[in-house]
Amino acid sequence: MIANFLRYLAYERRYSAHTLTAYEADLGQFEAYLQETYALADTTAVTHLHLRSWVLALVEGGMSTRSVNRKLATLRSYYKFLLKREAVQQDPTVKVRAPKVQKGLPHFVQEAEMDRLLDNIPFPDTFEGWRDRLVLELLYGTGIRLSELLQLRVSNVNLHEGVIKVLGKRNKERVIPMAKPLQELVRKYIGSKSAAFGADSSAHLLVTDKGEQAYPMFVYRLVRKYLGTFTSSEKQSPHVLRHTFATHLLNRGADLNAVKDLLGHSSLAATQVYTHNSMEKLRKVFEQAHPKA
């Protein structure tokens, strides 16, 4: 049934390969737990007690509540699918309560540090130098996700209109504007890429030193290299630059709905987490400036 479920997600729901891999891993882990703990090989024979036992085992094993809830969400989707296909008589996840997640504020880079990072790094006038700068500028200048950055093609860039077309989660397409300096950087990078690898180089915008499509760890290492040198941010990942993009926009008065659309969030609640950082800044200004504070 798991194979049928994955095919349903791939062909009917059109989930991305990355999401399918995560679902498959979660279900495989649960299936292995059932076999090892209960000698149970049939996921359709599961009760809420089996599920509670698994959730408890994950929590006691040190897994974060956020990761546990993601796995539980996978099982909810799976058993909802089985219920619709009449493979089970009732959904065992209904009686399972998700662990409460301790919400933390997104990590971001301060504006002064971001300026120092982009203004003071001596990027060499080579393909690698233009590529490294482009990665940092695109993540910070557009707020796109790492997966979206890696899937960008040269054809997704419209320099005439100054926008990029991004394919986000659930294959939702959105158009993001680029500032003029970023447009010029993209233009120079594309020229450098063609000069380095020829007109028949990879159709993907971002490539490695060998001209092949860039991959997640390649970008992680690149971002950590520069953030670690010029910022005091505790976390140094591509996603931190996405958080920084959203926080800086809101700090400067951007409309929350506009930021939501730029980030590709499906609900406003996902974007509102960034307002906490903005509110902290306003509170400090108030306490320093108001005579009754």
Side-chain angles (χ1 to χ4, degrees):
M1 293 306 296
I2 290 178
N4 291 339
F5 174 61
L6 294 173
R7 279 194 292 271
Y8 160 74
L9 295 181
Y11 299 113
E12 294 189 36
R13 299 299 301 277
R14 301 182 66 82
Y15 280 18
S16 68
H18 177 76
T19 302
L20 289 172
T21 299
Y23 271 66
E24 186 175 14
D26 292 342
L27 291 168
Q29 184 181 9
F30 179 59
E31 191 175 38
Y33 173 80
L34 293 176
Q35 293 174 351
E36 293 172 6
T37 309
Y38 298 102
L40 183 62
D42 186 2
T43 54
T44 63
V46 165
T47 70
H48 67 281
L49 296 176
H50 295 112
L51 286 167
R52 286 177 180 173
S53 173
W54 186 55
V55 168
L56 182 61
L58 293 175
V59 172
E60 290 181 343
M63 183 173 288
S64 69
T65 51
R66 192 178 299 276
S67 295
V68 172
N69 285 343
R70 183 183 60 76
K71 292 178 182 295
L72 189 54
T74 296
L75 291 181
R76 292 192 196 284
S77 297
Y78 176 60
Y79 282 104
K80 184 178 180 180
F81 167 81
L82 294 185
L83 195 62
K84 285 184 177 179
R85 297 299 191 277
E86 298 183 350
V88 295
Q89 297 302 310
Q90 57 185 6
D91 183 354
T93 66
V94 172
K95 294 183 179 181
V96 181
R97 184 177 298 175
K100 289 186 177 180
V101 177
Q102 185 76 28
K103 288 189 176 180
L105 296 181
H107 288 270
F108 68 98
V109 181
Q110 297 293 338
E111 282 192 47
E113 291 184 328
M114 204 67 220
D115 289 341
R116 188 163 64 247
L117 168 65
L118 297 176
D119 293 342
N120 294 342
I121 293 179
F123 293 101
D125 185 14
T126 61
F127 163 74
E128 291 80 4
W130 290 114
R131 192 265 325 284
D132 289 3
R133 185 176 188 96
L134 180 69
V135 168
L136 298 173
E137 294 271 14
L138 267 177
L139 290 170
Y140 174 57
T142 65
I144 57 177
R145 302 176 178 92
L146 172 60
S147 59
E148 295 168 346
L149 173 69
L150 294 173
Q151 291 303 317
L152 268 183
R153 293 175 173 266
V154 175
S155 58
N156 296 141
V157 179
N158 187 329
L159 291 173
H160 178 70
E161 296 184 6
V163 299
I164 57 171
K165 189 180 294 184
V166 174
L167 191 64
K169 289 186 175 180
R170 308 289 167 81
N171 289 325
K172 290 183 178 179
E173 193 175 83
R174 69 186 190 279
V175 176
I176 306 175
M178 295 185 293
K180 288 191 179 299
L182 180 54
Q183 294 175 42
E184 184 58 28
L185 175 59
V186 172
R187 190 189 313 277
K188 289 179 178 177
Y189 166 77
I190 291 176
S192 178
K193 177 172 176 278
S194 296
F197 304 108
D200 296 329
S201 61
S202 172
H204 286 91
L205 179 66
L206 188 63
V207 298
T208 66
D209 296 356
K210 296 181 179 179
E212 300 168 349
Q213 181 187 0
Y215 49 92
M217 189 50 64
F218 176 83
V219 177
Y220 264 101
R221 286 197 295 261
L222 189 156
V223 171
R224 279 201 297 263
K225 170 185 173 183
Y226 293 108
L227 286 186
T229 303
F230 281 86
T231 76
S232 59
S233 175
E234 294 179 20
K235 292 190 176 181
Q236 298 161 2
S237 69
H239 215 66
V240 167
L241 293 178
R242 177 173 162 85
H243 293 325
T244 302
F245 165 83
T247 302
H248 290 182
L249 282 177
L250 290 169
N251 280 347
R252 288 177 170 266
D255 177 73
L256 189 63
N257 275 299
V259 176
K260 165 186 167 292
D261 292 340
L262 288 170
L263 292 173
H265 285 161
S266 57
S267 70
L268 199 60
T271 315
Q272 285 176 326
V273 65
Y274 297 106
T275 62
H276 293 290
N277 288 321
S278 301
M279 187 56 65
E280 284 300 314
K281 183 177 180 180
L282 290 174
R283 185 177 287 111
K284 288 179 181 179
V285 171
F286 170 77
E287 290 174 350
Q288 291 173 0
H290 197 282
K292 298 295 184 181

